[in-house]
């Protein structure tokens, strides 16, 4: 249908409009080829160059104020993508579609739809931090249940919710090796201090989740995902049970 519409515009719009639209259509058709060689990739580069050379007519006529949109920018990477990953029938845009749903739509629905941008950024930041420790809420529910006098069992525990909405989370802690039972002579003043980190990715800083040895549970080794302390106040202004650990947990 698009190529038919371009033909209908002949004689009704400036020549540069026809060339820019035709070049873009040629690029789209070439990009759908089931196989490519150096010649077809060169054709793609030429049609894209022609489009950019004549696109200013769209600004001059007031059709668009700009073309600074992701889909137009992505055209610059098609030839390289085909060279590296094969023809375009080997992949699709589903990944970017899901990114749009996860990063934009769900964040917008979570806002109150007024001055939504800061709310969306805050929502996404919290979501990313939560996803650095998958299964945390489930495991924490089981852990807390082990301290209750009347344990919740079976399917009821799977559907149980935590009696609080937030807890203190730390990005690291320092400790003395002597506290872990290491052979350290404190009288010689050679106490060693070590530290571990459980820090999600932030602006300009990569994530860091240190490897630790859990000597309590049979010397298991794993990544430290979160360091936290249980709250002292619960829903309804209730005080947390005295049986709950008061020290930081991981």
């Amino acid at each position: 249908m698009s190529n038919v519409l371009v033909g209908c515009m002949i004689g009704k719009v400036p020549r540069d409009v026809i060339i820019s639209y035709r070049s873009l259509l040629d690029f789209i058709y070439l990009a759908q080829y089931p196989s490519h060689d150096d010649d077809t990739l060169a054709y793609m580069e030429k049609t894209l160059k022609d489009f950019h050379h004549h696109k200013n007519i769209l600004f001059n006529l007031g059709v668009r104020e700009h073309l600074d949109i992701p889909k137009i920018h992505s055209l610059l990477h098609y030839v390289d993508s085909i060279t590296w990953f094969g023809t375009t029938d080997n992949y699709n845009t589903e990944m970017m579609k899901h990114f749009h749903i996860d990063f934009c739509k769900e964040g917008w629905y979570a806002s109150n739809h007024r001055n939504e941008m800061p709310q969306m950024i805050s929502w996404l930041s919290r979501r990313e931090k939560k996803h650095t420790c998958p299964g945390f809420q489930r495991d924490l529910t089981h852990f807390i249940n082990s301290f209750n006098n009347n344990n919740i069992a079976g399917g009821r525990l799977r559907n149980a919710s935590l009696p609080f909405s937030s807890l203190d989370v730390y990005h690291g802690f320092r400790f003395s090796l002597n506290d872990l039972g290491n052979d350290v002579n404190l009288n010689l003043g050679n106490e060693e201090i070590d530290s571990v980190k459980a820090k999600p990715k932030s602006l300009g800083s990569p994530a860091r989740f240190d490897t630790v040895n859990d000597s309590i549970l049979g010397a298991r080794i794993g990544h430290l995902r979160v360091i936290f302390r249980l709250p002292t106040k619960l829903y309804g202004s209730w005080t947390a049970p005295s049986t709950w650990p008061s020290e930081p947990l991981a």
Side-chain angles (χ1 to χ4, degrees), residues 5 40 66 77 109 153 163-164 177 189 202 215:
L5 294 176
T40 58
H66 64 81
H77 303 289
Y109 287 128
F164 49 84
L177 296 182
S202 59
S215 59

Side-chain angles (χ1 to χ4, degrees), residues 181-199:
N182 292 52
D183 187 15
V184 178
N185 189 344
L186 298 180
N187 294 327
L188 298 178
N190 62 347
E191 179 182 9
E192 288 190 55
I193 301 296
D194 205 345
S195 65
V196 292
K197 297 286 186 180
K199 184 179 180 181

Side-chain angles (χ1 to χ4, degrees), residues 127 129-143 162 225-226 228:
R127 186 171 182 233
K129 290 177 181 178
K130 179 180 177 181
H131 283 183
T132 60
C133 188
F136 174 67
Q137 184 170 335
R138 178 202 63 217
D139 294 338
L140 183 58
T141 302
H142 283 262
F143 176 75
L162 294 169
R225 304 302 296 183
V226 61
F228 64 97

